């Protein structure tokens, strides 16, 4: 490796059996490793948190280091929904429809005080947290949160994606969770 590439690192191999000329591991560990490093986020930004997300995409913070450099603006090609900012109650059905259109496995991050709890807007028109309409995997606090916090939330999703069982999404517990949100 030349000096120009000396700071590049390889992803650590999952646990397995190594020998001369071979490596064996479980399918779940390989799939988890692939999921972890290839998340395709769908940003659903409505307010100031969206500006912080834009900074996260920029060269200073560089979300592409985490394998998420391809933001998808189509729910069918995304597996990570990032809801950022104030969500009005009228927008709730749209957020839910976007979530339902995403393919499994799918994860959700609620970014900022407004998406997690309604923020300072305790009014009849603002949804008091998106977890009232869709299940949320990671909450990122702040008003607005710093790009470092958004990256930390992404790393928590990566941990979930890497360690989640392939069969979890078919489990009765997961089906009951979706049923509690009236999601089929």
């Amino acid at each position: 490796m030349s000096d120009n590439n000396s700071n590049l690192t390889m992803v650590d191999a999952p646990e397995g059996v190594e020998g001369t000329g071979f490596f064996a591991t479980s399918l779940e560990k390989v799939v988890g490793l692939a999921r972890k490093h290839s998340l395709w986020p769908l940003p659903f930004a409505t307010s100031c948190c969206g500006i912080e997300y834009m900074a996260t995409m920029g060269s200073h913070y560089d979300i592409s280091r985490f394998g998420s450099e391809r933001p998808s603006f189509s729910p069918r090609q995304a597996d990570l929904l990032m809801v950022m900012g104030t969500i009005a109650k009228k927008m709730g059905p749209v957020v839910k429809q976007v979530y339902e259109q995403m393919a499994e496995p799918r994860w959700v991050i609620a970014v900022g005080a407004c998406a997690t709890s309604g923020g300072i807007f305790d009014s009849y028109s603002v949804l008091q947290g998106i977890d009232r309409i869709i299940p949320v995997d990671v909450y990122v606090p702040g008003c607005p949160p710093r790009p470092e916090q958004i990256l930390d939330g992404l790393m928590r999703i990566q941990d979930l994606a890497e360690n989640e069982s392939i069969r979890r999404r078919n489990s009765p517990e997961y089906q009951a969770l979706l049923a509690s949100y009236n999601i089929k």
Side-chain angles (χ1 to χ4, degrees), residues 48-91:
C48 27
C49 291
I51 303 300
E52 294 299 318
Y53 176 72
M54 289 179 214
T56 307
M57 295 285 296
S59 61
H60 187 73
Y61 295 100
D62 194 19
I63 200 170
S64 64
R65 300 180 280 161
F66 301 94
S68 296
E69 69 269 9
R70 186 207 174 271
S72 179
F73 296 100
S74 169
R76 299 189 195 289
Q77 282 84 37
D79 54 10
L80 171 60
L81 178 59
M82 299 179 77
V83 181
M84 300 167 264
T86 310
I87 304 299
K89 287 184 180 174
K90 282 187 172 184
M91 293 168 54

Side-chain angles (χ1 to χ4, degrees), residues 92-111:
V94 174
V95 173
K96 187 172 183 175
Q97 181 180 16
V98 166
Y99 177 79
E100 289 174 336
Q101 289 177 352
M102 294 171 63
E104 289 282 358
R106 56 190 172 204
W107 297 274
V108 176
I109 298 179
V111 178

